[in-house]
Amino acid sequence: MTHDHDLVLRPTPAQTAAALAPPPGRTGGDLVVETLRGLGATTVFGLPGQHALALFDALRRSQLSYVGLRVENNAGFAADGYGRVTGEAAPLFLSTGPGALTSLPALQEAAAASAPVLAISSQVPTAGLGGGRRGHLHELRDQQASFRDVVKSVHLARTQSQIPSVIAEAWESALSAPHGPVWVEVPQDVLEAETEIPVVVAPDGIPHELAPRPELTAVAAHLLSTATRPVIVAGGGVVRSDASKKLRQLAERLNAPVVTTFGGKGAFPWTHPLSLQSWLEDRHMTEFLEEADVLLVVGSGLGELTTNYRTFAPRGRIVQIDADLGKLESNYPALGIHADARLALTALLETIDEVRPDDTAATAVRDVLDRVRTRIAAQGLDQEQQLLAAIREALPAAAPSFWDMTILTYWAWSAFDPARPNTMHSAQGAGGLGYAFPAALGAAVADPDSPVLAVSGDGGAMYSIAELATARQHDLPVTWLIVDDGGYGILREYADGAYREPTGTELVRPDFVALAESFGVPGVRTTPETLAGDLAAALKAPGPSVVVLPARLRMFAPTHG
């Protein structure tokens, strides 16, 4: 009797002949690109460097497309943007030392936002490894150590035979829940040497599923079914696992209001009768969540922003579902369920019976949103809300948008309707500047037929100006809205509130329209009144464009003080 696990796939005579006589002229770099191609990669982002030239030479001979950016950090952001909109692991080719280290802020953002990025870096030649000081160009005592605290996992290939397995292992790690950036390191001489290893055709890098434990979902289902005031907090894990429909089914079955975190924008329909939208930085919303007798938190760690700067003090039970084990009960005691959001919501739906609908929850939702709007309306901040409305009017519903750390983004986290799941992305995870434009370029590479919007302040825009050349070179349909207020606007507000007089926040900046046009990118200067029309025209035009809005915006008053 033969069992499935006894079967061994034996090579055919043709496969044996091909393995014994691989094509000449291949190097370790070819093993890298062949493995990526076999895993399903189609596009590589990056920037060449001396130690990584064999990678790029092999890339030239492969079927992979290459998009080169001007700064390694921006290349990392582009890979992040590509990974977020596709759910695929975006390969990122980097060189040793300075080139590798320059990508760290982007990889930190990818880690915080659970974006799948497969960073592959060269290393000094094998003889220079081990922590000695041999004087190699770009030499670090322990390059991988710089990345271990940032990425999800580190993978080292020290010989050519290790390359396919190491990259497949890294691919699986990047795409297993929770998604995240991973780091692969290969020495220069291993990449450059000719190889006799057969062509890589079928690497095994299948990500594993993270199913919930049934006894825990049974308890969670009981708590939710018997709750009188259930409320749901939907985080980024719902979006990443494509679980928005499951979430809506469960919310309607429980008649439970849903608030989306800033990372979970779009996880629940904005205008649904049960939608609390995203007003998490408001005391009215915080109090509403505190009153829940059972709070179901899906795909969120209940971090600083979600809990209104730690002022949230729940009085009921919390059920927390998250694929990141480190986030479970890290901030509040809960029934922690370590699972992918989609699988956990599916399990709950299979257990929880229909709940008799009534208007109580929808009425409570309308009441709390009315109180939030009344508070905001009393602050004389019509312009900021009108700008968000103008952007929503101009932006097609299916078009993705990417937001830098600027005042308009802080507004958008709470007040912008993303229209559809997985269309609004920001640097909210790690909070670094310069994210929006290069990440939008990555999204445009994924779907060059769809317009993409990037939103930056003038301070953040200066981090990414070089990528106007990338946008022009690849003719990517990204419209870049730059809100020019003459400085780091949100830091100006914070410093003014805390120290009465800001320091280091005021900036001399260029004429952004003229600068864009010097790259061959059309630019226009707009006003709050003409923004909707100018933005719509730019989004409809082919290729990249820049829209500059001179405006000094204000934030709504906090409620956590």
Side-chain angles (χ1 to χ4, degrees):
M1 183 176 180
T2 301
H3 299 278
D4 289 345
H5 60 263
D6 295 325
L7 296 176
V8 177
L9 297 177
R10 305 184 187 281
T12 66
Q15 289 172 328
T16 301
L20 293 173
R26 293 164 60 250
T27 66
D30 288 277
L31 295 174
V32 172
V33 298
E34 289 166 4
T35 304
L36 291 173
R37 182 68 176 169
L39 289 165
T42 59
T43 305
V44 172
F45 298 90
L47 199 116
Q50 179 176 325
H51 292 159
L53 289 178
L55 268 179
F56 288 82
D57 184 59
L59 190 58
R60 172 180 58 84
R61 294 191 293 276
S62 78
Q63 295 178 300
L64 295 171
S65 299
Y66 171 63
V67 179
L69 286 93
R70 297 333 196 244
V71 183
E72 288 86 354
N73 195 47
N74 293 336
F77 284 144
D80 172 304
Y82 183 97
R84 291 197 201 191
V85 300
T86 64
E88 302 170 6
L92 171 65
F93 282 5
L94 301 165
S95 191
T96 317
L101 295 176
T102 302
S103 72
L104 276 168
L107 295 177
Q108 184 188 4
E109 174 57 40
S114 296
V117 175
L118 179 59
I120 301 177
S121 167
S122 59
Q123 173 59 296
V124 299
T126 306
L129 299 177
R133 307 297 287 169
R134 297 174 179 268
H136 289 281
L137 182 70
H138 304 329
E139 183 180 80
L140 293 168
R141 286 191 299 271
D142 188 2
Q143 180 174 271
Q144 59 179 291
S146 297
F147 295 86
R148 285 195 180 277
D149 191 44
V150 174
V151 299
K152 182 180 178 183
S153 56
V154 168
H155 309 261
L156 309 177
R158 294 302 188 232
T159 66
Q160 290 184 341
S161 63
Q162 295 173 353
I163 288 175
S165 296
V166 164
I167 291 179
E169 179 183 61
W171 180 275
E172 178 181 339
S173 176
L175 289 174
S176 293
H179 291 175
V182 297
W183 181 260
V184 176
E185 188 179 282
V186 190
Q188 177 186 11
D189 55 322
V190 176
L191 291 170
E192 291 178 347
E194 192 166 344
T195 186
E196 295 181 354
I197 294 175
V199 174
V200 183
V201 291
D204 182 8
I206 301 173
H208 62 269
E209 289 193 329
L210 186 58
R213 295 190 61 83
E215 67 272 22
L216 295 179
T217 54
V219 175
H222 173 72
L223 289 171
L224 291 165
S225 296
T226 58
T228 57
R229 293 177 60 90
V231 180
I232 300 174
V233 176
V238 176
V239 176
R240 288 187 292 275
S241 64
D242 193 22
S244 298
K245 291 182 179 179
K246 300 286 186 186
L247 174 69
R248 178 172 180 171
Q249 285 180 301
L250 183 63
E252 291 174 346
R253 186 170 297 184
L254 292 170
N255 202 29
V258 179
V259 64
T260 59
T261 71
F262 302 156
K265 299 281 289 186
F268 196 72
W270 190 256
T271 57
H272 191 284
L274 293 172
S275 176
L276 292 164
Q277 301 177 359
S278 300
W279 282 101
L280 287 163
E281 285 193 59
D282 188 283
R283 191 63 212 166
H284 297 305
M285 188 66 66
T286 306
E287 290 171 353
F288 185 87
L289 297 179
E290 290 173 342
E291 292 167 359
D293 59 344
V294 178
L295 187 70
L296 174 61
V297 182
V298 189
S300 169
L302 291 177
E304 183 177 54
L305 299 181
T306 303
T307 59
N308 201 1
Y309 296 87
R310 313 292 185 193
T311 60
F312 171 59
R315 293 191 284 274
R317 293 289 301 274
I318 296 178
V319 176
Q320 186 182 14
I321 298 167
D322 207 290
D324 189 337
L325 188 61
K327 291 182 179 179
L328 286 176
E329 300 188 71
S330 61
N331 290 306
Y332 296 90
L335 173 66
I337 301 177
H338 185 214
D340 174 81
R342 179 177 52 82
L343 298 179
L345 289 171
T346 299
L348 291 175
L349 284 166
E350 290 172 349
T351 308
I352 295 174
D353 295 328
E354 295 286 345
V355 174
R356 182 171 57 84
D358 61 57
D359 296 331
T360 305
T363 301
V365 166
R366 288 194 300 272
D367 177 66
V368 71
L369 289 179
D370 285 344
R371 281 184 282 149
V372 171
R373 294 188 188 104
T374 299
R375 185 180 79 85
I376 298 299
Q379 297 177 33
L381 299 169
D382 293 342
Q383 176 177 256
E384 289 76 5
Q385 297 174 81
Q386 290 165 2
L387 291 178
L388 288 179
I391 294 172
R392 181 64 277 165
E393 177 187 340
L395 186 66
S401 60
F402 291 81
W403 303 68
D404 216 334
M405 299 297 286
T406 187
I407 284 182
L408 197 58
T409 300
Y410 281 60
W411 270 96
W413 288 341
S414 294
F416 186 73
D417 175 5
R420 296 186 184 180
N422 203 33
T423 56
M424 180 181 172
H425 305 277
S426 73
Q428 173 252 330
L433 282 173
Y435 171 79
F437 188 56
L441 296 179
V445 170
D447 184 4
D449 295 324
S450 172
V452 184
L453 174 68
V455 181
S456 298
D458 55 297
M462 292 300 292
Y463 280 64
S464 310
I465 286 296
E467 305 312 335
L468 284 168
T470 302
R472 182 74 282 164
Q473 181 170 341
H474 297 279
D475 201 30
L476 297 171
V478 176
T479 293
W480 193 6
L481 172 61
I482 301 174
V483 182
D484 184 357
D485 67 357
Y488 298 121
I490 192 66
L491 295 178
R492 178 194 289 138
E493 287 240 344
Y494 286 164
D496 187 56
Y499 305 106
R500 298 185 180 178
E501 185 174 346
T503 301
T505 60
E506 307 312 299
L507 302 173
V508 172
R509 68 277 194 203
D511 180 335
F512 286 106
V513 172
L515 186 57
E517 291 174 344
S518 74
F519 284 92
V521 174
V524 62
R525 188 170 284 100
T526 190
T527 67
E529 294 72 27
T530 59
L531 175 62
D534 288 339
L535 203 55
L539 287 161
K540 289 176 183 176
S545 58
V546 170
V547 177
V548 180
L549 173 66
R552 188 153 175 168
L553 308 182
R554 294 165 50 214
M555 274 301 296
F556 50 83
T559 63
H560 55 265

